[in-house]
Each structure stands twice: as C-alpha cells, then as structure tokens.
Amino acid sequence: GAGVSQSPRYKVAKRGQDVALRCDPISGHVSLFWYQQALGQGPEFLTYFQNEAQLDKSGLPSDRFFAERPEGSVSTLKIQRTQQEDSAVYLCASSPPRLAGGQDTQYFGPGTRLTVL
Amino acid sequence: AQSVTQLDSQVPVFEEAPVELRCNYSSSVSVYLFWYVQYPNQGLQLLLKYLSGSTLVKGINGFEAEFNKSQTSFHLRKPSVHISDTAEYFCAVRGSGAGSYQLTFGKGTKLSVIP
C-alpha cells in the first residue's frame, strides 16, 4: 500500500480483556515504531524495531504490553488484561533504510483508538 | 534526553490572517526538528523538518519554520491561513546522532481558523 495501515481503527474492550493491534508498515521500511497518544497529549514512544529485532522497549508502560514483528514486516502490539488507563490512540510509524535516505522521517499510520470500559 | 514545549494549547485565527505556532525544545545534544499536523481521526502527517543547513525550512501547504539554536526554538508560521488548516499541530525533536531514533513530541497546538 501507499502508506502505513493499522487495524482495527477502533477497538472497545472490557477491562481485563486482551487486545491485539496490527500495523502494516510501508513496504521496504526496516524501522518500525509504536507510540501511545493519550487524549489531549502528544504521542509518546513505546517501542522500536529494526527489521525483526526489538531494539528498544523502554517506553512500554508495563509488562502487560508486548510487541512483536516476527518477519520484519507486520507488527502486533498486544495488551494483556487491559485497564482503563490503557485507553488511548496507538500510532504506528515506519522509516526507510538509512542507505535509501529519508531515514530521519517517520511516516505515521491513522492509529487505533482503544477504549477500555 | 529531549523535551518539547508548545506554549499555546489553542490558537484561534481569522481566515487569511497570519499565524505563528510556537515551539521550544530542550536537549543536551544536537537535534533534528519536525512539525507534524493531525487532522481529526487521522494519523500524523509531516509538514516540514530541519536536519541541517538553512535555518529557514519550507514545508507543505505554505508553512515554514525557522530554527533558532540560541533560543532553542522552532516556530511554525504561515502568512495566510485557510479554513482547511484547522487541525492540531505537533512539534517534535530527535537527537541527530546515529543511534537516535525516537521522536519526542510536544502536547500539540490546536489551530482553529475562523471564517
């Protein structure tokens, strides 16, 4: 596709349920990022992949959050035992390889709005 | 570590008037600077970026920004706004070193263009 896609666009979960959020990056982009955007706030970094390797997960708020990118393309952010404070928009972004230039720009998807009741 | 302050949470402006959205940053290392725009229920779209070179950067939709290292600012400007510019604008910073990758965002400024 032409851009980063995310699914579902909207997710409502009952407290305690597990959820999985999917990100399809731009084809050929080796870097993939997840951000969390709470209501009225700017996005905050969660985790970073280079190909299939998760190089930084320092922003994940708790051990209930888990991200994977097993084949270096599609990524899934999983949240176990969701809590109300997990309600936010989860944004995925990707960047091209450094040698291809433009690696400084992150291209964002439309996000998944998670509401935990 | 870096931080970004967007001084105005909301900016109302009349159509065809000029606008400036302010952004200040803090960092102990050299940085790259970005402005993103977010329309309702959409992701972030890059408006412009400063990596190096000329401190005046021109972006899409007629926006421009000027990097001022001494004042640690990167204010966004447009000489004449249109209704379609109504959106939320985010300033972001990233270290310029090879090992830097994560963006640090400000809290955003909501621009409302009044007909």
Side-chain angles (χ1 to χ4, degrees):
Chain A
V4 178
S5 61
Q6 294 185 245
S7 61
R9 290 293 313 277
Y10 303 90
K11 177 69 178 177
V12 178
K14 291 183 179 179
R15 190 171 55 183
Q17 282 185 332
D18 297 348
V19 298
L21 313 179
R22 177 188 170 106
C23 172
D24 282 88
I26 295 171
S27 178
H29 281 197
V30 300
S31 297
L32 186 145
F33 307 82
W34 283 98
Y35 291 84
Q36 180 190 58
Q37 186 177 17
L39 188 64
Q41 302 295 317
E44 292 190 356
F45 171 79
L46 293 178
T47 187
Y48 162 58
F49 289 85
Q50 187 169 350
N51 294 305
E52 69 279 3
Q54 188 175 21
L55 299 185
D56 187 343
K57 54 181 181 179
S58 63
L60 296 177
S62 79
D63 58 7
R64 295 185 294 104
F65 286 70
F66 173 75
E68 61 183 6
R69 194 186 184 197
E71 298 179 358
S73 178
V74 171
S75 177
T76 304
L77 177 66
K78 297 179 179 179
I79 309 173
Q80 297 177 326
R81 304 181 303 282
T82 53
Q83 303 296 314
Q84 284 189 324
E85 61 262 28
D86 300 335
S87 295
V89 175
Y90 291 86
L91 295 166
C92 177
S94 67
S95 289
R98 185 167 291 272
L99 290 178
Q103 70 279 3
D104 307 293
T105 300
Q106 294 183 21
Y107 298 85
F108 283 80
T112 294
R113 182 178 297 276
L114 173 65
T115 303
V116 181
L117 303 177
Chain B
Q2 293 92 35
S3 67
V4 176
T5 302
Q6 292 185 244
L7 297 167
D8 305 299
S9 60
Q10 296 189 46
V11 173
V13 62
F14 286 103
E15 192 175 14
E16 297 183 4
V19 69
E20 177 180 84
L21 305 183
R22 296 180 292 171
C23 171
N24 287 86
Y25 69 93
S26 173
S27 176
S28 58
V29 299
S30 296
V31 296
Y32 294 152
L33 293 152
F34 306 81
W35 275 100
Y36 282 85
V37 60
Q38 187 174 39
Y39 298 101
N41 298 317
Q42 295 188 27
L44 299 170
Q45 180 183 1
L46 181 69
L47 272 179
L48 48 80
K49 60 185 178 182
Y50 171 78
L51 304 181
S52 65
S54 173
T55 57
L56 182 62
V57 179
K58 293 189 183 297
I60 62 172
N61 301 340
F63 284 93
E64 64 180 32
E66 186 158 18
F67 170 55
N68 188 318
K69 188 174 182 179
S70 63
Q71 297 186 5
T72 61
S73 68
F74 191 55
H75 301 331
L76 181 70
R77 302 186 183 97
K78 186 170 183 177
S80 176
V81 296
H82 190 266
I83 293 290
S84 60
D85 294 323
T86 295
E88 190 157 21
Y89 293 78
F90 292 93
C91 181
V93 64
R94 204 204 86 179
S96 61
S100 299
Y101 45 81
Q102 66 172 275
L103 291 171
T104 299
F105 287 87
K107 292 188 175 182
T109 297
K110 289 184 179 178
L111 174 64
S112 298
V113 180
I114 304 163

